[in-house]
DNA sequence: GTGATAATGGTCAAGAAAGGTCAAATTTAT
DNA sequence: ATAAATTTGACCTTTCTTGACCATTATCAC
């Protein structure tokens, strides 16, 4: 098929690797050497063929031992699920309903354990009928408390 | 695959030891010899991979019988700073004051960029005078929106 | 005690080994 | 023929490695 230019060939090569492993790590120099192109062409391929809006995430490291990492990123289906959940949300939510939602967010990997705790803190701070300024103070205070608590028990993720 | 350079390997070695014992004590010279690098590279690894803001505490002793001690986990001083900030908090906070506080949380490494956005979302949802149930719904809705937005532009950290 | 010496660890700057950027030159498509 | 896409190369930034020189601590000889 019409893969006449090098950029297309390199793109195809990387995307084939991505089908197998969801995370591809290569060295720019190695890749350039393999296809006998100049290193900066690799950047061109990444810029034009692996754009974030097409669902790819590229991270790099410079210096000795540097690399390129390519992940096939945000799953369109996942985003659609999230949007669906948003639209299903009614105008009022009880605390148990919130907890169910938070569990879903955690289980589907949208947020970390730590972020769940942060959000719980925020939600709990909402209960009263104080003014906005007072609520902010209360919220920040609870959040700070939560943060130091997080640090003490080093659960992680 | 990821550990192409010595610094990464030494980092991994030390962090593995840390998982078991929470306090690692080694001699710089010994470690350097073990991995066949110059001693000062050990300092480099400690400086770049075991920063205090990442939750590590390194203490050393020079001279005969010298050592390096590496501790991970809750930095007592950091927690004290946080508690101090908490106590300074007044009962009312304007939005600009909140933003200053959030900047401090970010700069001192307590929270990530993503978490700042999450908290901002929560705080902004506080403005109204609706009931708690309504506020929860609004808060969750804003949070979900923020999450999908976060994913689309994969800033990171 | 005091001073020399040996045994550690610390600092800093230069060089090496990646990857990044940008624009000119070339090729391809309309 | 022009516009868009690709290819190349000169120059830049970040990260790692090394080595020369500095600082601190313990021990031993006196």
């Amino acid at each position: 098929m019409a893969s006449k230019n090098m950029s297309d060939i390199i793109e195809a090569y990387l995307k084939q690797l991505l089908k197998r492993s969801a995370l591809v790590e290569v060295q720019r120099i190695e890749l350039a050497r393999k296809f006998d192109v100049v290193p900066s062409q690799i950047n061109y391929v990444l810029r034009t063929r692996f754009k974030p809006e097409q669902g790819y995430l590229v991270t790099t490291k410079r210096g000795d031992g540097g690399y390129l990492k390519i992940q096939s990123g945000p799953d369109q289906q996942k985003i659609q699920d999230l949007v669906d959940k948003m639209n299903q949300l009614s105008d009022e939510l009880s605390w148990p309903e919130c907890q169910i939602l938070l569990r879903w967010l955690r289980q589907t990997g949208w947020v970390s354990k730590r972020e769940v705790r942060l959000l719980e803190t925020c939600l709990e701070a909402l209960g009263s009928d104080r003014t906005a300024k007072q609520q902010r103070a209360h919220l920040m205070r609870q959040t700070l408390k939560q943060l130091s608590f997080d640090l003490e028990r080093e659960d992680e993720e």
Side-chain angles (χ1 to χ4, degrees), chain A:
Chain A
M1 262 251 248
S3 294
K4 298 197 64 170
N5 61 55
M6 262 305 159
S7 291
D8 284 343
I9 295 173
I10 296 172
E11 173 192 8
Y13 171 73
L14 290 174
K15 287 191 173 169
Q16 200 210 341
L17 289 187
L18 267 177
K19 272 187 188 161
R20 297 197 189 148
S21 52
L23 169 64
V24 170
E25 178 173 338
V26 287
Q27 288 207 293
R28 191 180 74 153
I29 277 191
E30 277 312 308
L31 198 53
R33 201 152 21 214
K34 182 184 190 91
F35 290 100
D36 194 34
V37 296
V38 105
S40 62
Q41 180 156 5
I42 305 301
N43 295 85
Y44 174 72
V45 172
L46 294 178
R47 218 182 327 116
T48 56
R49 321 295 221 264
F50 294 83
K51 294 194 259 229
E53 58 267 39
Q54 290 165 349
Y56 295 96
L57 173 61
V58 176
T59 47
T60 66
K61 187 182 158 199
R62 300 189 183 187
D64 208 346
Y67 55 72
L68 311 172
K69 274 186 195 165
I70 312 172
Q71 301 171 66
S72 76
D75 181 337
Q76 228 35 54
Q77 185 53 49
K78 263 189 87 180
I79 291 189
Q80 193 50 51
D81 287 352
L82 189 63
V83 171
D84 288 348
K85 264 280 190 285
M86 256 176 69
N87 291 336
Q88 287 165 20
L89 265 193
S90 70
D91 285 344
E92 300 204 347
L93 273 188
S94 67
W95 176 234
E97 287 168 328
C98 277
Q99 285 179 309
I100 289 170
L101 193 47
L102 286 176
R103 251 200 308 282
W104 179 79
L105 283 173
R106 179 69 199 94
Q107 280 168 0
T108 51
W110 279 104
V111 297
S112 65
K113 264 188 192 171
R114 174 185 158 101
E115 285 164 345
V116 166
R117 285 196 292 271
L118 230 43
L119 289 170
E120 280 174 346
T121 299
C122 289
L123 286 161
E124 279 165 2
L126 237 53
S128 79
D129 59 351
R130 279 165 293 189
T131 71
K133 275 189 140 188
Q134 286 174 329
Q135 281 196 334
R136 283 204 200 93
H138 188 225
L139 187 38
M140 289 308 305
R141 208 186 289 280
Q142 292 301 111
T143 299
L144 295 185
K145 192 176 288 181
Q146 182 60 54
L147 283 173
S148 72
F149 193 56
D150 263 6
L151 193 52
E152 272 159 14
R153 51 182 184 144
E154 208 90 356
D155 283 305
E156 286 325 296
E157 165 56 354

